[in-house]
């Protein structure tokens, strides 16, 4: 049985975080002392850790049932929270369930009930109906990004779930949106509200880029050459536009990954893995990437198409200039295109030169073994540094999943590493190592 760690200092040490930010300190205290908390804080300020720390501190290690339910609007957010719980190393089991993955996988993982269950409302409601999850001991309910769950059409499932959890004493709601209305079906009586939205960073620079044509594709490539380097998201409103832009970027030899709702779940996950580890410096995405996904602080974002609503404009911009860092949001304006009313007082950027955007020097390798094979990040690092003879600075980010792993390495070393390390043993498993396409 793994040791249960509730000590905040020990958890922060494991995560490599020197100290909590003011929002996290306030949230931890409020959640510890109150049964109803509404936390409003900008995207990327660490809300997940803010509510997980006090929740883990309140768990009963002797109870082998689900004690906490966290409802989220998207698969990505479910996976992200599950990952954070595991990285905290508290010893409490956490599982994420969501639409788009096999029910048999859920069944297998839920055979031993997790202390913390994370999921999308549709999949959780389905489990409640099938009675595959006992609700008797669920004491804490978290509605993370609750306004987004309502926006994407989960209202009836949320009502069904909350109705089932009448015994839940503690309710925590989070959002990154200012004008948010708490739905009556949540049955909050006297919530403590923490509003950190007005403390959003002001280090964001908005710049307008005017295109000579209506399709804006040539202007996008020129803008990327003007920016030259860094990590950024290019936002489009539709998946058809993403395909068009992706083809154009490929024709101009500009590396990127795509992320939108119509992709298979595995492709969405892998696009984010490559973006996180620096293999892809550009993520071409719909508003699905505007919040609720785990990506590093960005140097810039580009509105290839402008969103129709001010709220989405704010969420997109919130992906850069996070946590007191600088960032730039570029607005691409097509010929004769009108800016929405909510955008005003913006400086035009004059593009100069014909530079090429600097592609990543890294590539991602796939490893066919993971956590269930008792493989650790240390095992992978050891294999690549000892047998693969990589220097420490040549070993990029390692992401460990249940049944596989991903590691970023320099492109120049990738072919040799695949030839050298394929079919190596990690713990007791012989693993395949190949380039992630």
């Amino acid at each position: 049985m793994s040791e249960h760690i509730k000590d905040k200092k020990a958890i922060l040490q494991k995560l490599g975080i020197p100290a909590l930010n003011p929002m996290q300190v306030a949230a931890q205290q409020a959640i510890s002392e109150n049964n109803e908390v509404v936390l409003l804080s900008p995207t990327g300020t660490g809300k997940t850790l803010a509510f997980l720390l006090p929740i883990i501190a309140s768990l009963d290690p002797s109870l082998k049932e689900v004690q906490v339910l966290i409802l989220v609007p998207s698969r990505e957010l479910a996976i992200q929270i599950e990952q954070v719980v595991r990285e905290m190393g508290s010893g409490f089991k956490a599982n994420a369930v969501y639409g788009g993955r096999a029910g048999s996988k859920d069944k297998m993982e839920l055979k031993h009930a997790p202390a913390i269950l994370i999921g999308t409302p549709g999949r959780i409601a389905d489990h409640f109906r099938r009675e595959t999850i006992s609700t008797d001991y669920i004491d804490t309910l978290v509605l993370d990004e609750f306004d987004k769950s309502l926006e994407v059409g989960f209202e009836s499932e949320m009502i069904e779930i909350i109705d089932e959890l009448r015994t839940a004493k503690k309710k925590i709601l989070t959002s990154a949106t200012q004008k948010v209305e708490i739905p009556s079906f949540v049955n909050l009586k006297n919530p403590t509200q923490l509003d950190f939205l007005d403390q959003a960073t002001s280090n964001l620079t908005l710049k307008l880029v005017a295109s000579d044509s209506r399709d804006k594709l040539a202007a996008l490539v020129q803008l990327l050459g003007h920016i030259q380097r860094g990590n950024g998201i290019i936002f489009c409103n539709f998946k058809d536009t993403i395909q068009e832009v992706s083809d154009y970027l490929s024709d101009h030899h500009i590396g990127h990954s795509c992320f939108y709702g119509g992709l298979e779940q595995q492709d969405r996950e892998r696009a984010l893995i490559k973006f996180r580890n620096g293999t892809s410096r550009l993520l071409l995405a719909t508003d699905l990437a505007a919040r609720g996904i785990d990506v590093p602080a960005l140097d810039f974002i580009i509105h290839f198409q402008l969103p129709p609503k001010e709220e989405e404009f704010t969420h997109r911009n919130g992906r850069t200039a996070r946590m007191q860092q600088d960032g730039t949001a570029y607005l691409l304006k097509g010929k004769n295109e009108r800016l929405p009313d909510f955008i005003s007082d913006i400086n035009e950027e004059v593009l100069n030169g014909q530079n090429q955007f600097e592609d990543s020097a890294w590539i991602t390798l796939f490893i066919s073994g993971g956590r269930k094979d008792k493989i650790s990040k240390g095992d992978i690092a050891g294999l690549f540094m000892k047998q693969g003879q990589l220097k420490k600075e040549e070993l990029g980010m390692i992401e460990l999943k249940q049944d596989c792993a991903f590691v970023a390495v320099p492109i120049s070393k990738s072919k040799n590493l695949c030839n050298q390390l394929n079919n190596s043993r990690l713990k007791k498993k012989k693993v395949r190592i190949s380039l992630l396409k």
Side-chain angles (χ1 to χ4, degrees), residues 220 232-236 241-247 249 256-260 263 271 275 282-286 289 304:
L220 173 63
I233 298 180
I234 301 168
F235 282 105
C236 301
T241 314
I242 286 184
Q243 194 54 60
E244 189 187 346
V245 176
S246 178
D247 291 344
L249 291 181
H256 61 281
S257 289
C258 297
F259 181 80
Y260 55 91
L263 282 176
F275 191 54
L282 298 172
L283 188 69
L284 192 50
T286 57
F304 182 77

Side-chain angles (χ1 to χ4, degrees), residues 245-356:
V245 176
S246 178
D247 291 344
Y248 195 85
L249 291 181
S250 297
D251 290 345
H252 287 77
H253 312 291
I254 297 171
H256 61 281
S257 289
C258 297
F259 181 80
Y260 55 91
L263 282 176
E264 290 291 326
Q265 182 60 27
Q266 188 185 73
D267 294 332
R268 276 160 61 167
E269 276 183 58
R270 292 182 176 187
L272 291 181
I273 286 164
K274 290 198 278 188
F275 191 54
R276 270 196 293 269
N277 68 21
T279 296
S280 294
R281 286 194 163 155
L282 298 172
L283 188 69
L284 192 50
T286 57
D287 283 325
L288 187 64
R291 55 178 166 154
I293 60 164
D294 181 23
V295 294
L298 306 179
D299 302 294
F300 62 90
I301 63 122
I302 297 172
H303 299 274
F304 182 77
Q305 288 174 309
L306 291 168
K309 291 182 187 169
E310 185 173 8
E311 198 178 309
E312 288 310 329
F313 183 67
T314 304
H315 287 310
R316 287 181 181 187
N317 292 341
R319 280 279 156 212
T320 187
R322 285 158 67 173
M323 310 297 274
Q324 280 70 56
Q325 292 181 323
D326 293 337
T328 309
Y330 294 94
L331 283 69
L332 260 180
K333 181 178 168 293
K335 194 176 183 182
N336 302 327
E337 185 181 3
R338 279 193 59 196
L339 292 179
D341 294 340
F342 56 80
I343 299 171
S344 60
D345 193 26
I346 179 168
N347 295 326
E348 190 166 336
E349 181 86 335
V350 179
L351 304 183
N352 46 38
Q354 290 295 318
N355 295 317
Q356 174 82 358

